[in-house]
């Protein structure tokens, strides 16, 4: 049994004199649903998987920095002093001295410090891990 949704749809029919006349037709009830069904291409999770592995590496390196800041009050004081003096080179050197190899962008303000660790897969940026720590 076919069900029809009776929404009018106007298809102009022209008489020989050139004037259009509206003709009402019916549309199957699933017409609009069928129009929205889309086909998606097959996915390739290779880059996604590599990004996840790279992010795991970034998290291990972030853990190195956080462990050093948490266990060594003198180290944390050096980082804060260098940041307070806007000595970006010293802050970067201190962060790198924890043993991390990834690219790190450091920003700070009077309230705290932000560390953005980045990684590449296949020559393009894939992963970013941002750590925000407050000191005031």
């Amino acid at each position: 049994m076919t069900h029809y949704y009776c929404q009018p749809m106007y298809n102009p029919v022209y008489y020989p004199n050139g004037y259009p006349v509206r003709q009402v037709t019916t549309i199957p009830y699933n017409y609009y649903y069928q129009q929205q069904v889309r086909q998606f291409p097959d996915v390739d999770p290779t880059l996604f998987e590599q990004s996840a592995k790279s992010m795991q590496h970034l998290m291990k390196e972030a853990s190195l920095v956080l462990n050093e800041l948490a266990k060594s009050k003198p180290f944390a004081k050096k980082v804060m002093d260098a940041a307070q003096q806007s000595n970006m080179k010293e802050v970067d050197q201190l962060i790198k001295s924890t043993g991390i190899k990834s690219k790190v962008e450091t920003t700070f303000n009077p309230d705290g410090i932000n560390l953005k660790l980045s990684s590449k897969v296949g020559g393009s940026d894939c992963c970013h891990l941002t750590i925000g720590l407050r000191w005031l």
Side-chain angles (χ1 to χ4, degrees):
M1 180 172 167
T2 304
H3 298 281
Y4 290 97
Y5 175 74
C6 294
Q7 177 176 344
M9 182 171 171
Y10 299 106
N11 297 324
V13 175
Y14 293 94
Y15 285 121
N17 64 4
Y19 293 106
V21 176
R22 291 186 176 186
Q23 180 181 3
V24 177
T25 60
T26 58
I27 303 170
Y29 76 100
N30 61 355
Y31 173 79
Y32 292 105
Y33 174 74
Q34 290 174 354
Q35 297 300 317
Q36 294 179 9
V37 174
R38 300 187 331 189
Q39 297 295 322
F40 294 101
D42 289 338
V43 295
D44 180 10
T46 306
L47 180 60
F48 194 37
E49 180 185 26
Q50 291 172 347
S51 294
K53 288 178 182 177
S54 185
M55 182 57 80
Q56 286 177 325
H57 179 71
L58 287 180
M59 291 178 73
K60 286 178 185 173
E61 291 201 336
S63 185
L64 290 173
V65 175
L66 294 174
N67 285 338
E68 189 65 30
L69 288 169
K71 74 176 184 180
S72 174
K73 202 169 205 169
F75 179 77
K77 185 177 183 336
K78 285 180 188 177
V79 172
M80 288 179 70
D81 284 341
Q84 185 178 22
Q85 296 170 18
S86 296
N87 188 347
M88 186 65 117
K89 187 175 181 179
E90 178 68 15
V91 172
D92 287 340
Q93 186 271 329
L94 287 166
I95 298 299
K96 285 287 191 180
S97 73
T98 61
I100 65 171
K101 305 286 187 239
S102 298
K103 178 184 170 188
V104 181
E105 293 176 27
T106 308
T107 58
F108 41 84
N109 58 42
D111 294 336
I113 188 168
N114 292 314
L115 308 170
K116 182 179 177 184
L117 286 76
S118 302
S119 182
K120 292 185 177 191
V121 169
S124 62
D125 284 341
C126 73
C127 312
H128 303 283
L129 178 63
T130 303
I131 303 166
L133 300 170
R134 291 200 55 168
W135 54 46
L136 252 190

